[in-house]
């Protein structure tokens, strides 16, 4: 039987799922302009599937238009169809951006940072996940044996990512049972978020080719280490030179770098509603999981919500280029567009307000209880709390615009209602199916 190749154009909306529509490859030239049809209420489809609440009803008409810069075409060398998809923008039928387009949310943040502060963001999303194609075994953390037993998965993943136009940086067996991590080279602006979507899909696609799954859920089990997404961020000035470092500044950061970091910290409780945005996300952000519980910046501290990653000071290396901020309170149930956009909006708000880092920022040696006693703010304990913080954040109304702000809050609150009766174990099982 002959096969007519299909190409899919996708978006990653509030639910964090990558959804889209496919068309015959022969139609690609026309589809680059006209896209595929979309409906406003599709943005309200929950991660679970049902749409429990929508401000849009059944009305409206949108198009999802592929961005040529995002094309992914990957052959796995087996009998299966190649992966062939684009990421796209949600537009009104006259071609203008739709108010709830996730890529436009990130694009506007990145443009505002460029316009107002003359700074470009350079970012890389680090992904952890659970690979089901290997037995869970004690003592395997970071082990050569866990690396060996994942078989061809890592090598296939790296090949797929490379074909997809990414530059893989590392692949490793992580701390948790069956847990692995993959990192990529950073990219500028929106491309960093596109790369995160593509990375997740290459992880899923590779596992699928091996009749397995990659679970990207933040909490595979209620009481174990979770799968984090860490967003590494640096800033570039108008000349392309690193704009974060300043050896004379506190933490070695420039005034703009400190304000950017302070803005993120100032808004972090609200940001979690976009960066760790599922009912299950909070189960990861608990003590003793190498994940953050409190809001603070620290140098080389993996308990910090914002970690300062130093540059290597080895011959031939420029530590200024390597210095970056690692936002640790994120996971793969977040759309990378909302996550990156929100972080950039918050950082820009810090620059607009000329914020400096809070005095308590250096708390690396304290344990969790001591941090609370010292008045270090806690990350929200639930998504419910994070959404309330987001709703109370006046500045965020401007970042989103009224339609998206309302849609976002309603979407996530409806998701919370859907899982309200589940205990932690059932919640973990459900999100392991969904992500
Ligand atoms: N698994 C941890 C998390 O949930 C992170 C471990 C690490 O620092 O790589 O964020
Ligand atoms: Mg890790």
């Amino acid at each position: 039987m002959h096969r007519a190749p299909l190409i899919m154009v996708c978006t990653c909306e509030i639910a964090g799922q990558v959804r889209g529509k496919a068309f015959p490859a022969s139609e690609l030239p026309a589809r680059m302009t006209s896209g595929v049809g979309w409906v406003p209420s599709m943005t309200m489809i929950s991660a679970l599937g049902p749409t429990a609440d929508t401000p849009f009803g059944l009305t409206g008409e949108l198009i999802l238009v592929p961005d040529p810069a995002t094309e992914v075409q990957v052959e796995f060398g087996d009998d299966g169809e190649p992966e062939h998809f684009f990421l796209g923008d949600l537009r009104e039928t006259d071609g203008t951006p739709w108010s709830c387009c996730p890529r436009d949310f990130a694009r506007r943040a990145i443009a505002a940072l460029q316009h107002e502060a003359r700074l470009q963001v350079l970012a890389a999303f680090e992904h952890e996940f659970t690979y089901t194609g290997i037995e869970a075994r004690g003592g395997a953390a970071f082990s050569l044996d866990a690396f060996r037993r994942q078989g061809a998965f890592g090598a296939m993943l790296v090949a797929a990512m490379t074909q997809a136009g990414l530059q893989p940086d590392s692949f490793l067996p992580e701390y948790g049972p069956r847990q692995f991590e993959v990192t990529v080279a950073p990219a500028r602006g929106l491309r960093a978020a596109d790369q995160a979507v593509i990375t997740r899909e290459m992880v899923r696609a590779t596992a699928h080719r091996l009749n397995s799954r990659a679970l990207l859920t933040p909490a595979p089990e209620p009481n174990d280490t979770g799968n984090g997404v860490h967003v590494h961020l640096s800033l570039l000035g108008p000349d392309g030179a690193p704009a974060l470092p300043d050896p004379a500044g506190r933490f070695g950061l420039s005034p703009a770098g400190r304000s950017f970091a302070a803005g993120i910290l100032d808004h972090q409780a609200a940001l979690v509603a976009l960066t760790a945005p599922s009912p299950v996300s909070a189960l990861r952000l608990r003590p003793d999981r190498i994940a953050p519980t409190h809001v603070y910046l620290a140098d080389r501290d993996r308990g910090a919500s914002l970690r300062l990653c130093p540059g290597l000071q080895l011959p031939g290396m420029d530590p200024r280029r390597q210095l970056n901020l690692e936002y640790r309170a994120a996971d793969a149930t977040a759309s990378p567009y909302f996550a990156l956009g929100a972080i950039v909006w918050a950082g820009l708000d810090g620059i607009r307000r000329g914020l400096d880092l809070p005095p308590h920022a250096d708390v690396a040696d304290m344990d969790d209880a001591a941090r609370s006693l010292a008045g270090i703010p806690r990350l929200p304990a639930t998504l419910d709390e994070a959404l309330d913080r987001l709703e109370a954040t006046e500045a965020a109304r401007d970042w989103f615009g009224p339609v998206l702000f309302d849609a976002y809050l309603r979407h996530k609150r409806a998701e919370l209602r859907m899982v309200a009766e589940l205990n932690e174990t059932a919640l973990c099982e459900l999100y392991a199916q969904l992500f």
Side-chain angles (χ1 to χ4, degrees):
M1 189 63 188
H2 290 298
R3 299 178 189 180
L6 290 163
I7 302 176
M8 193 146 171
V9 51
C10 301
T11 174
C12 185
E13 297 186 87
I14 303 174
Q17 305 281 15
V18 178
R19 295 180 167 135
K21 292 184 179 177
F23 49 82
S26 54
E27 298 295 313
L28 182 60
R31 296 284 188 180
M32 289 312 291
T33 314
S34 62
V36 295
W38 209 252
V39 181
S41 276
M42 287 167 84
T43 201
M44 303 305 286
I45 302 174
S46 67
L48 288 70
T51 309
D53 184 17
T54 172
F56 308 112
L58 297 178
T59 63
E61 196 65 43
L62 303 165
I63 48 176
L64 173 59
V65 184
D67 178 340
T70 65
E71 182 171 14
V72 169
Q73 193 166 9
V74 176
E75 291 281 356
F76 280 86
D78 54 19
D79 281 347
E81 285 298 297
E83 287 277 326
H84 197 177
F85 63 85
F86 287 78
L87 304 175
D89 289 299
L90 286 166
R91 300 202 181 137
E92 302 282 357
T93 47
D94 65 3
T96 53
W98 183 45
S99 54
C100 300
C101 173
R103 278 180 107 225
D104 197 59
F105 177 80
R107 194 184 274 123
R108 284 189 291 108
I110 290 157
L113 181 69
Q114 172 80 59
H115 179 73
E116 293 178 38
R118 304 192 67 211
L119 291 171
Q120 254 199 340
V121 65
L122 183 73
F125 288 61
E126 210 174 273
H127 282 94
E128 294 172 341
F129 56 89
T130 307
Y131 177 50
T132 67
I134 179 174
E135 65 184 328
R137 208 165 49 83
F142 301 102
S143 72
L144 177 59
D145 196 50
F147 178 69
R148 178 182 299 127
R149 283 167 190 273
Q150 53 79 32
F153 174 82
M156 282 172 67
L157 173 61
V158 165
M161 288 169 67
T162 307
Q163 270 191 73
L166 310 180
Q167 197 185 325
D169 175 73
S170 64
F171 170 79
L172 55 136
E174 248 283 2
Y175 182 70
R178 307 189 295 175
Q179 191 182 38
F180 290 83
E181 172 175 319
V182 68
T183 62
V184 293
R188 289 182 190 208
L190 188 62
R191 177 69 188 162
D194 287 334
Q195 286 199 160
V197 178
I198 295 168
T199 300
R200 291 175 195 178
E201 290 310 308
M202 289 304 101
V203 167
R204 290 183 170 119
T206 306
H208 170 65
R209 298 285 164 153
L210 293 166
N211 298 316
S212 299
R213 281 196 62 211
L215 314 179
L216 284 98
T217 178
E221 317 248 348
N223 297 311
D224 225 324
T225 187
N227 290 318
V229 168
H230 306 148
V231 187
H232 292 263
L233 302 148
S234 49
L235 298 173
L236 302 176
D239 50 358
L244 275 186
D246 176 354
R250 185 151 166 247
F251 286 101
L253 290 171
S254 63
R258 292 201 301 277
S259 289
F260 188 80
I264 294 171
L265 295 178
D266 190 51
H267 288 301
Q268 191 145 32
L271 291 185
V272 165
L274 294 120
T275 60
S278 292
V280 78
S281 296
L283 302 192
R284 172 183 153 249
L285 302 173
R286 287 174 167 179
D288 305 321
R289 307 221 170 143
I290 333 173
T293 54
H294 288 75
V295 176
Y296 67 96
L297 173 99
D299 190 12
R300 308 166 207 223
D301 172 8
R302 283 174 170 76
S305 59
L306 198 58
R307 177 170 75 110
L308 192 68
C309 308
L312 295 177
Q313 283 137 14
L314 299 173
M317 290 187 172
D318 179 357
R320 283 164 40 88
R321 291 228 163 253
Q322 291 175 26
L323 180 92
N324 66 83
L325 295 166
E326 181 190 39
Y327 181 100
R328 291 179 63 85
D331 66 54
T333 65
S335 160
Y337 303 116
F338 285 119
L340 183 66
I343 293 169
V344 170
W345 278 124
L348 174 60
D349 194 50
I351 293 176
R352 283 174 177 163
R353 289 154 62 202
L355 292 184
D356 207 340
L357 290 167
H360 63 241
D362 205 356
V363 292
D365 291 336
M366 296 181 186
D367 69 10
D368 212 59
R371 280 173 194 149
S372 291
L373 278 174
I376 312 300
R378 246 196 143 281
L379 286 169
T382 61
L383 173 59
D384 210 11
E385 196 186 320
L387 291 167
D388 288 348
R389 296 293 297 266
L390 178 62
E391 190 171 25
T393 301
E394 214 38 60
R397 290 172 189 272
D398 278 346
W399 309 344
F400 282 78
V403 179
L404 178 56
F405 200 61
D406 175 55
Y408 194 91
L409 292 168
R410 283 170 70 165
H411 182 126
K412 285 291 158 186
R413 285 180 172 145
E415 184 177 346
L416 274 170
R417 287 196 297 277
M418 284 181 214
V419 301
E421 302 302 317
L422 300 184
N423 64 26
E424 290 188 356
T425 303
L427 196 62
C428 289
E429 281 171 8
L430 174 64
Y431 278 81
Q433 285 171 33
L434 301 176
F435 288 94

